[in-house]
Amino acid sequence: MNRRTKTAVLGLGAALLVTAGATGATGAAGAVTSASADVTDSTASAPSVASAAGERQREAAALTGRAKLYRSAGDDITFSFDAHLAAKDNDDPLKATGTFEWSHYAGGDGAWAKAEVDCLVTGGKVAVVSGVVTDSDLPGAKGKRVGITVHDTGRQDRLGYSWASTGNPVETKDLPKCVGSAPFEKVKKGTGDFTVVPWNPKF
């Protein structure tokens, strides 16, 4: 696949708003073929970590899960998230850790990418995560920061991405941390869902 084809498929043009999906943790969709492990959808209960006193303590925030996006044209688009903010880092969302992946395939063509989390902010059931692309078969994607917004509706989750207006994550320049677009895409029913753990900052 040449660069032009990959860019057209993975990059989201304003007309098609093509996205991506992923297997590891998160564009564009489908069965992601990266080397990272599949992310298991989290349960409805908030994840926890062991405190110094030996008690279980809920982590400060999280975005987990895997699902495909709905596209009437049949594009295969998958996003996966494994992003966490530890309880001890409650006051600093820039200390979030984890990864996300996404991929998008249509007509046998497509590409995928994986990013390392560098910020996670959640409010209620809405999460914004950002990260720098560490691996991808889309030319020019490595080293680019991308941001994704997820709305965990509990019925049919929604998702948006920072390159929605530029048409391609490679074309997005100097994106700040934890910046994404409105969650205008819908998850394809029966393909999975996303789980958001609300953040409770101490103001």
Side-chain angles (χ1 to χ4, degrees):
M1 185 188 313
N2 60 37
R3 172 170 182 164
R4 178 174 297 177
T5 301
K6 289 182 180 178
T7 301
V9 174
L10 183 58
L12 298 166
L16 295 179
L17 292 178
V18 177
T19 50
T23 63
T26 86
V32 179
T33 56
S34 71
S36 44
D38 290 345
V39 176
T40 302
D41 293 347
S42 62
T43 60
S45 59
S48 60
V49 294
S51 67
E55 299 176 347
R56 303 299 290 180
Q57 185 178 26
R58 192 194 76 124
E59 59 187 343
L63 170 60
T64 57
R66 177 177 183 271
K68 294 185 178 184
L69 300 187
Y70 169 76
R71 283 297 174 81
S72 59
D75 297 36
D76 189 4
I77 305 170
T78 304
F79 280 85
S80 297
F81 302 94
D82 187 17
H84 304 269
L85 180 65
K88 64 182 180 62
D89 297 321
N90 186 73
D91 295 333
D92 190 355
L94 299 183
K95 290 186 178 180
T97 60
T99 58
F100 57 91
E101 295 189 31
W102 68 100
S103 65
H104 177 207
Y105 296 92
D109 292 326
W112 62 272
K114 178 179 180 179
E116 184 174 350
V117 172
D118 61 14
C119 183
L120 173 65
V121 173
T122 66
K125 287 298 184 177
V126 176
V128 180
V129 64
S130 64
V132 175
V133 176
T134 57
D135 198 9
S136 177
D137 58 358
L138 177 68
K142 289 183 182 179
K144 291 286 186 178
R145 175 176 290 114
V146 295
I148 300 175
T149 304
V150 170
H151 186 191
D152 174 15
T153 69
R155 298 180 299 278
Q156 187 174 22
D157 296 343
R158 303 181 70 98
L159 184 147
Y161 30 82
S162 58
W163 59 94
S165 62
T166 62
N168 192 317
V170 176
E171 301 301 323
T172 305
K173 302 181 184 300
D174 303 321
L175 183 76
K177 296 179 180 180
C178 269
V179 172
S181 73
F184 58 93
E185 298 268 17
K186 292 182 179 180
V187 164
K188 184 177 181 179
K189 293 182 179 180
T191 66
D193 65 358
F194 305 121
T195 299
V196 173
V197 175
W199 181 43
N200 296 309
K202 299 176 181 178
F203 294 131

